[in-house]
Amino acid sequence: MIARLRGRPAGQAPDGLVLDVNGVGYLVAATPSVLRRADDAAEITVETYLHVREDALQLYGFADVDERELFTHLLTVNGVGPKVALAVVSGSSSAELRRAIVQGDHARFQAIPGIGKKTAERIVLELKEKIGEGVVPVEPSSSPGRAPHVVARDALVELGYSIAEAEQALAAVDPDLPAEERIRLALRTVAA
């Protein structure tokens, strides 16, 4: 198993990042955080996962061990392959995704291309116990049992925004604010 590579970014290909490690170019399908770090860097370290199939060996690259660990957990879910798992960990931080799993937020995963309702439900159901330990609890919201982020996102969806648009608008808002304030600021962001 190749768990980590340190080398010089030698270019980007449609399939990912080419990392030159002592004269050998490794093609790594990487998360956006790795690709950002590779821009103008003389050398980077990438946490990796080697996916072995009958017809191919594919390296996947992550900015940190948490991203890789979440990726490997996602691979255990029936119906989730490495490309879908990479799309999941590429969309949000590991902490946010873990929180969404613990809170049962299926809609967050349905917003990711390649994931339908049943797969999103399986992700939450199968990973809730595996990764629930160590996840920082979220403050109570005005709606019992629901996190302020979920309340705000659902309100934006009710107003006609897609889940992806709502998530993008809420990403620009302070996560420590109550749901009502998040909605107000997110609407300003979308209108701007």
Side-chain angles (χ1 to χ4, degrees):
M1 176 73 138
I2 301 172
R4 177 183 296 142
L5 292 172
R6 185 177 67 219
R8 181 181 57 80
Q12 290 188 16
D15 296 354
L17 170 72
V18 177
L19 193 63
D20 184 332
V21 180
N22 296 324
V24 177
Y26 292 91
L27 179 59
V28 181
T31 61
S33 53
V34 171
L35 297 175
R36 282 191 300 273
R37 281 189 5 207
D39 287 340
D40 302 323
E43 184 176 273
I44 63 169
T45 299
V46 179
E47 300 296 326
T48 61
Y49 175 84
L50 179 62
H51 184 73
V52 179
R53 293 189 335 210
E54 286 181 18
D55 60 343
L57 298 174
Q58 177 66 54
L59 271 174
Y60 291 89
F62 310 95
D64 55 41
V65 176
D66 286 340
E67 275 187 355
R68 182 180 63 203
E69 182 180 299
L70 184 56
F71 176 86
T72 58
H73 281 306
L74 285 163
L75 290 178
T76 66
V77 176
N78 187 23
V80 176
K83 289 183 181 180
V84 171
L86 185 66
V88 171
V89 297
S90 293
S92 299
S93 73
S94 299
E96 289 173 359
L97 291 171
R98 289 173 189 274
R99 224 176 270 122
I101 289 168
V102 169
Q103 294 169 353
D105 186 3
H106 308 129
R108 181 164 202 137
F109 297 99
Q110 284 180 260
I112 299 167
I115 296 182
K117 182 178 181 180
K118 288 185 179 185
T119 303
E121 289 172 351
R122 271 197 307 267
I123 288 171
V124 170
L125 180 67
E126 293 181 26
L127 296 184
K128 198 170 202 170
E129 289 183 23
K130 289 182 183 178
I131 66 166
E133 295 176 16
V135 174
V136 178
V138 178
E139 71 276 6
S141 69
S142 57
S143 196
R146 295 179 67 205
H149 177 83
V150 175
V151 171
R153 188 203 52 226
D154 289 350
L156 291 172
V157 169
E158 287 294 320
L159 291 171
Y161 296 99
S162 71
I163 293 173
E165 291 169 335
E167 288 287 351
Q168 184 177 9
L170 290 169
V173 176
D174 182 2
D176 295 328
L177 295 173
E180 296 79 14
E181 187 68 16
R182 289 183 193 193
I183 295 166
R184 190 174 64 74
L185 293 173
L187 287 171
R188 281 187 189 169
T189 303
V190 173

